[in-house]
Amino acid sequence: GQVISANVRFGPGIRDSMSLALRRSVVESGTVSALYDVLSWLCHSGDYFTGATIALRLLHDDEAVRDLSRREDKMHDGDGLLDGILVPLDVTITHTDAERVQLQASLADVAAGCMIRGGEYQADTVSFFSALEGFLRRNKYYDASRACVMLAAATSDACLALRDSKVAAAPAENRRVTDNILNSVRCFLCVAVARDCMPTALSLLNEIIPDELRGRERKESNNENILVLGPPLALSKEIVTMILASSPLAGGCLLNLKDEDASTRYWQSLDHETQLAFSCISVGSNTFSLLREVEVRTWVLQKISDHLDLLHARNDGKRTRDGEELPREWIMALCEASLINAGCRHEESSFLLKSRGPASLVDGAAGSDTIRGYDSIYSGENNGYKVDFLSLFSDPGRIDFNLLISALLCEASTRPVLLAVCDLAGRQVCKEPEFAFDAAAAIKLCAQAENSAAAAALLGGREGFVLRCADILIEF
């Protein structure tokens, strides 16, 4: 509003006068401006950078200010921005007073909102999201619910923009919008971890971007034509990877999500190709966390059993039910993932699967006279070999024998590794495994794969020796 501050008369008539009015804020505050008036004006003008910088300076979050000011056109650190701004309270005083805590919370919400809006609409989004990510981890005053709602809106808007045909046709714009989606989700997960609200946060993501979480196609009508659209599988895989990497509990929370359209759990709502892609997602360099989830592990074991049944039926010339063989690339990736989950280093697991077996890793390079296959070691020529093979695993208790044996049974080239793992599975280990070894199920798979040598290594003792001898006689 405005307030009349002076009346000026130019003559004796009633109309020979003027009134000078000033804004009420000017009259009450003098040469300074109220903080919230300045922030409101900046946000209305779209200057989210300055609004966020002012709020962060008042919160004394110098690290966020530095992250925010890394843009070439904004290389200042906020000096002088607070001149002429009237702050309601002195935020530098200890935070015991309720009013000061309320001001901290209000400033934190303004800072988060400005950085979210700036990252969504400004040309340079990297500095905004980089500063926001660190701020959400450090600050304890912002309202988590409000921040999640704003980030959810930003994610939804970016996903809608990605579906625009004009954006899809422009690679640079497509990449920018995709980065906005990933940055929004990453900040979303920061709130979930910092405020311990992962189930709620993922449920909200499941509501706003269900197709992007599942790499699922959508059917839309356009001028009486049915268009089949969907997010790129690579985008969905990046989103799921970020979720799994954010917290050890995130995998279980993700699998607990429900698909409202199909009334199924998350894993069952994925199509076959997406399940194959997601099952071997690597978190960091040494963890394939979904393979350690019971639901995904059970699915993998069932798929391998169906795969072996299908191969057995086709080899016998029998008619089979509809089904597809599992891709060899996925089977090899599953073998390597199972070895890495058991504590085997990536370089060692790759070398094992591509070489003649564990002996080539322990004894020397391919072509060396010291290389020995598993069969000669199994007959007792090198009793120390089994200890060397076990030493490849940093934590033997993490070996999922059923999953590892199942994967190795599907690929003939991994026979030496398979026999060594089967022999190790039949022995007692010093530590209780995370997944109890189901020997009966493993032997059943060996029978499905018609691999009597692996079954003999599993059985061990007299029974294993007899079965091994019978296998040798059949081979020759």
Side-chain angles (χ1 to χ4, degrees):
Q2 293 187 334
V3 178
I4 296 178
S5 59
N7 289 314
V8 181
R9 298 185 63 87
F10 299 99
I14 298 178
R15 297 182 178 181
D16 297 334
S17 65
M18 294 180 60
S19 296
L20 178 63
L22 297 175
R23 285 180 297 171
R24 186 181 298 276
S25 59
V26 174
V27 175
E28 295 176 353
S29 304
T31 58
V32 297
S33 299
L35 171 64
Y36 292 115
D37 290 341
V38 174
L39 293 176
S40 176
W41 177 79
L42 289 171
C43 292
H44 183 73
S45 303
D47 191 353
Y48 300 111
F49 173 84
T50 304
T53 303
I54 290 175
L56 292 172
R57 284 298 298 256
L58 290 172
L59 290 169
H60 298 280
D61 193 338
D62 295 334
E63 186 174 350
V65 173
R66 286 194 297 270
D67 291 338
L68 197 60
S69 62
R70 286 175 181 171
R71 294 160 51 188
E72 294 181 359
D73 59 330
K74 300 286 186 181
M75 288 303 293
H76 63 78
D77 58 359
D79 291 336
L81 284 178
L82 302 182
D83 296 344
I85 297 179
L86 179 63
V87 183
L89 294 170
D90 186 358
V91 295
T92 62
I93 302 178
T94 181
H95 308 146
T96 56
D97 187 88
E99 292 183 348
R100 293 189 178 87
V101 173
Q102 184 178 2
L103 176 60
Q104 290 275 351
S106 178
L107 288 173
D109 288 338
V110 169
C114 286
M115 285 186 282
I116 292 172
R117 299 291 286 179
E120 186 178 3
Y121 292 109
Q122 301 295 326
D124 178 17
T125 65
V126 176
S127 60
F128 281 102
F129 281 115
S130 175
L132 176 62
E133 189 175 347
F135 174 79
L136 293 174
R137 287 198 181 100
R138 291 187 301 270
N139 191 276
K140 60 181 181 179
Y141 293 104
Y142 66 86
D143 187 300
S145 299
R146 187 177 290 113
C148 283
V149 169
M150 289 189 290
L151 285 167
T155 305
S156 179
D157 290 345
C159 289
L160 288 174
L162 191 63
R163 300 171 192 173
D164 190 339
S165 58
K166 294 181 180 179
V167 173
E173 183 65 13
N174 186 287
R175 185 67 251 179
R176 187 189 72 82
V177 174
T178 300
D179 287 342
N180 278 359
I181 296 173
L182 297 176
N183 287 327
S184 297
V185 172
R186 185 178 294 107
C187 293
F188 202 96
L189 295 172
C190 286
V191 178
V193 173
R195 299 302 176 87
D196 194 21
C197 59
M198 184 63 71
T200 304
L202 291 184
S203 296
L204 184 55
L205 275 181
N206 190 43
E207 290 291 331
I208 60 174
I209 54 170
D211 297 327
E212 282 72 17
L213 280 178
R214 294 167 174 82
R216 186 169 56 190
E217 295 180 341
R218 300 179 304 275
K219 292 184 178 180
E220 299 180 1
S221 59
N222 182 14
N223 296 329
E224 300 182 354
N225 294 323
I226 302 299
L227 303 178
V228 179
L229 305 172
L233 182 59
L235 171 62
S236 299
K237 192 173 180 180
E238 285 191 69
I239 292 175
V240 172
T241 301
M242 286 194 298
I243 292 174
L244 297 176
S246 64
S247 168
L249 303 177
C253 296
L254 178 67
L255 295 175
N256 285 332
L257 296 178
K258 296 290 183 63
D259 182 13
E260 299 299 332
D261 295 336
S263 299
T264 57
R265 287 171 59 84
Y266 175 79
W267 191 253
Q268 283 71 40
S269 67
L270 305 178
D271 60 39
H272 179 67
E273 295 298 327
T274 306
Q275 287 175 325
L276 292 177
F278 285 6
S279 60
C280 289
I281 285 180
S282 172
V283 179
S285 59
N286 58 355
T287 305
F288 294 80
S289 56
L290 281 181
L291 290 177
R292 308 199 76 80
E293 298 290 340
V294 175
E295 186 173 357
V296 178
R297 178 178 179 270
T298 303
W299 174 86
V300 170
L301 292 174
Q302 184 59 50
K303 285 295 179 182
I304 290 178
S305 178
D306 294 343
H307 174 76
L308 293 175
D309 277 342
L310 186 63
L311 293 181
H312 180 70
R314 288 182 179 176
N315 290 337
D316 289 346
K318 298 178 181 178
R319 294 185 62 184
T320 61
R321 65 183 184 276
D322 293 337
E324 294 183 1
E325 296 181 14
L326 295 173
R328 183 179 184 274
E329 295 77 10
W330 180 77
I331 292 174
M332 293 302 294
L334 180 62
C335 293
E336 186 169 357
S338 300
L339 288 169
I340 292 175
N341 269 353
C344 186
R345 291 187 300 175
H346 176 74
E347 297 80 5
E348 294 171 344
S349 63
S350 298
F351 191 78
L352 277 173
L353 297 174
K354 295 176 182 178
S355 63
R356 292 177 54 187
S360 59
L361 180 64
V362 175
D363 297 327
S368 171
D369 294 335
T370 59
I371 292 179
R372 295 180 294 275
Y374 178 81
D375 294 339
S376 62
I377 297 168
Y378 189 74
S379 62
E381 293 182 14
N382 182 8
N383 294 327
Y385 166 72
K386 297 181 182 64
V387 178
D388 291 332
F389 180 61
L390 184 61
S391 68
L392 297 177
F393 304 99
S394 60
D395 186 358
R398 293 170 57 193
I399 303 176
D400 187 346
F401 284 110
N402 283 102
L403 188 61
L404 183 53
I405 291 171
S406 300
L408 292 170
L409 278 170
C410 295
E411 180 55 43
S413 64
T414 62
R415 184 175 183 274
V417 184
L418 170 64
L419 297 179
V421 171
C422 288
D423 179 70
L424 186 61
R427 299 171 180 271
Q428 290 185 347
V429 294
C430 57
K431 184 178 180 181
E432 184 70 21
E434 293 182 18
F435 292 96
F437 176 49
D438 188 347
I443 293 176
K444 180 181 177 181
L445 281 177
C446 292
Q448 286 179 267
E450 298 182 343
N451 195 323
S452 55
L458 280 172
L459 288 173
R462 181 180 300 174
E463 294 84 358
F465 176 73
V466 171
L467 183 58
R468 182 61 179 140
C469 291
D471 178 59
I472 294 174
L473 291 174
I474 293 173
E475 287 183 0
F476 293 97

